[in-house]
Amino acid sequence: MTSTAVTPPVVDEFKNAFRGHPAGVAIITAAGAEGPVGLTASSVSSVSAVPPILAFSLASTEGSAGVIASADTIVVHLLGAENAELAALFAARGTERFGRDLPWSTLPGGEPLLEGVPRSLLCRILSRTQAGSSTLIAAEVLEIHTGPASAPLVYHDRTYHHLGAHSTLRPPQ
């Protein structure tokens, strides 16, 4: 595989392009040797319905991202508008994420399950692929836990937003 040098202006324009492209917000958690870990991600996407497979990328293999990258199982929490503070907590560096005030439990396999989110998907990691400076993870969904209904939380231009009737351009057919 050959690598092409990318000039800084192209990297900046690439980042700007994706700042203008909204994405759903998720928190990915895993059981680590020293306790639960988690991080906020906007790179989660559906890959296959049968079997149910999703994918996401990690920009690092250190800290929480490293634990998630090497885990056998993870939980992907799909966030709702009411979870914006939770998303900000798990996006912040150097903070205690699983403190006393955070409602969470442990699944039978030891995976941390956050409470109060619309959907949580217990997944088994299928593959890890190096893609540039990131690691692309594919995972099969084993279980889905349903929480309170909520408008989806979306990340756009470095800010959280929510979708709802106010943002509908055309009713579904």
Side-chain angles (χ1 to χ4, degrees):
M1 184 167 123
T2 61
S3 177
T4 303
V6 179
T7 60
V10 172
V11 171
D12 291 343
E13 285 303 312
F14 179 79
K15 289 178 179 179
N16 286 335
F18 274 89
R19 281 186 193 117
H21 184 73
V25 182
I27 292 174
I28 303 168
T29 60
E34 297 181 19
V37 300
L39 55 80
T40 299
S42 60
S43 64
V44 176
S45 62
S46 168
V47 173
S48 170
V50 180
I53 297 173
L54 59 81
F56 61 93
S57 64
L58 297 170
S60 171
T61 55
E62 297 181 13
S64 296
V67 173
I68 290 167
S70 64
D72 292 327
T73 56
I74 57 167
V75 180
V76 176
H77 304 81
L78 303 178
L79 304 185
E82 290 79 16
N83 305 126
E85 286 185 28
L86 190 63
L89 171 67
F90 277 79
R93 295 181 189 267
T95 60
E96 173 56 44
R97 295 177 177 147
F98 289 90
R100 289 180 295 154
D101 297 335
L102 180 68
W104 66 283
S105 59
T106 304
L107 292 172
E111 305 86 358
L113 178 69
L114 302 175
E115 297 177 17
V117 301
R119 298 277 188 283
S120 300
L121 297 80
L122 173 63
C123 303
R124 177 177 55 88
I125 302 293
L126 296 175
S127 67
R128 298 163 182 87
T129 305
Q130 197 60 37
S133 61
S134 295
T135 302
L136 181 63
I137 309 282
E140 181 178 11
V141 178
L142 305 174
E143 298 176 4
I144 299 176
H145 299 261
T146 303
S150 175
L153 183 63
V154 176
Y155 192 69
H156 174 259
D157 198 19
R158 298 181 177 183
T159 306
Y160 296 116
H161 301 267
H162 72 278
L163 297 179
H166 71 283
S167 59
T168 301
L169 298 178
R170 182 173 25 173
Q173 306 277 342

